[in-house]
Amino acid sequence: MNPQTIKVACSNCNLRELCMPMGLSENDINRLDDLVATRRKIKRGTTLFTNGEKFTSLYAIRTGFFKTCLATEDGRDQVTGFQMAGEIIGLDGIVNDHHTCDAVALEDAEVCVMPFDRIEELSREVTALQSHVHKIMSREIVREHGVMLLLGSMRAEERLAAFLLNLVQRLHARGFSQSELVLRMTREEIGSYLGLKLETVSRTFSKFVEEGIVEVKQRHVRILSTEALQRLVNHQAACH
């Protein structure tokens, strides 16, 4: 693949500031462009990588939406996270050179493949890239830690409120609306992620609708009162 075509892609990509370090010289950007080996299209419902697979690359999501999940001992799927355009996926493989979860596309998606040995090589020479990779990793750790806290002690309404706020905030950073979102995942997947039964998720959504906090039309959610959602989450934080 001609690096020139990729260069144009990286430099003109509207997710560039989410994906790449800020303040790079043109020379550094050119070298980063060489780093993106290829793009891969992933069909809805198929996996980008699976648990136990050898880790070789990180993936920057260009378009689409993913979930990461693990099969539990009783054969169920435990959802461990949702990832969207502009986020990096595959960090789970760094620790012991194998992926520790499955990444499944929730809609047709496209990712930029970034071979990890090339990232490490370039990181040694481009300090901005090195600190950027560290920042991405620590952001993931912080996010996961936040989720653990969230799930540890929250009631169903608090969990769902925190989930919706987090999702809309991440989408807003990508230029989407601050109050409207289309859920790419099913109620069941939300429940699996939040540690709630499917009927609890549905009941909680209905409660939010009754209280005038959100409007729900199938997968389309409109947040009518961000403040009400924040109050639910902050009330929880205040209890600690």
Side-chain angles (χ1 to χ4, degrees):
M1 193 179 194
N2 175 358
Q4 198 54 35
T5 55
I6 300 166
K7 178 180 183 305
V8 171
C10 267
S11 310
N12 294 346
C13 180
N14 59 351
L15 297 167
R16 177 177 150 188
E17 61 278 14
L18 290 163
C19 194
M20 288 161 72
M22 297 299 277
L24 288 181
S25 69
E26 193 163 337
N27 182 34
D28 286 343
I29 288 184
N30 291 344
R31 295 168 72 189
L32 264 184
D33 285 330
D34 293 341
L35 171 77
V36 179
T38 48
R39 293 225 196 114
R40 264 175 73 186
K41 282 184 163 27
I42 313 289
K43 281 265 174 247
R44 179 184 168 188
T46 59
T47 55
L48 172 59
F49 54 79
T50 54
N51 185 8
E53 192 179 307
K54 189 168 169 37
F55 166 71
T56 55
S57 303
L58 293 178
Y59 305 93
I61 303 170
R62 254 182 77 76
T63 57
F65 218 96
F66 285 84
K67 69 171 178 181
T68 43
C69 52
L70 274 174
T72 56
E73 284 179 4
D74 57 4
R76 282 176 311 117
D77 255 0
Q78 170 64 52
V79 176
T80 55
F82 297 105
Q83 298 78 19
M84 62 181 71
E87 293 179 343
I88 307 277
I89 193 170
L91 293 159
D92 60 289
I94 294 175
V95 182
N96 55 15
D97 288 338
H98 284 87
H99 286 291
T100 56
C101 59
D102 296 348
V104 184
L106 293 177
E107 58 184 357
D108 289 353
E110 189 179 34
V111 297
C112 297
V113 181
M114 304 184 288
F116 194 65
D117 51 2
R118 293 281 295 122
I119 293 178
E120 288 195 299
E121 202 178 299
L122 255 184
S123 290
R124 285 194 283 274
E125 299 159 32
V126 182
T127 14
L129 177 64
Q130 189 172 28
S131 59
H132 187 64
V133 171
H134 289 162
K135 210 176 277 179
I136 289 170
M137 288 162 81
S138 64
R139 192 172 59 208
E140 275 303 298
I141 293 164
V142 167
R143 201 159 66 107
E144 289 198 1
H145 184 63
V147 169
M148 295 315 228
L149 287 176
L150 188 159
L151 300 186
S153 53
M154 284 188 165
R155 303 198 328 272
E157 298 93 89
E158 293 158 351
R159 292 181 192 198
L160 190 61
F163 174 72
L164 290 173
L165 285 172
N166 170 277
L167 211 51
V168 86
Q169 188 186 338
R170 282 155 67 196
L171 286 164
H172 183 56
R174 284 146 189 75
F176 292 101
S177 159
Q178 260 180 303
S179 58
E180 298 200 29
L181 63 154
V182 177
L183 297 173
R184 302 293 175 198
M185 66 295 286
T186 63
R187 300 277 194 276
E188 203 162 350
E189 286 163 337
I190 294 173
S192 172
Y193 179 57
L194 295 177
L196 299 170
K197 290 192 164 67
L198 172 60
E199 46 276 22
T200 311
V201 175
S202 300
R203 202 169 50 239
T204 311
F205 263 119
S206 304
K207 188 168 189 272
F208 285 176
V209 171
E210 276 164 36
E211 291 172 1
I213 298 173
V214 297
E215 267 179 9
V216 180
K217 290 195 180 79
Q218 284 153 331
R219 292 198 171 193
H220 200 102
V221 176
R222 186 151 158 250
I223 297 173
L224 303 175
S225 174
T226 305
E227 295 73 29
L229 291 177
Q230 277 163 345
R231 270 200 305 277
L232 275 168
V233 177
N234 293 342
H235 158 73
Q236 171 62 23
C239 295
H240 280 270

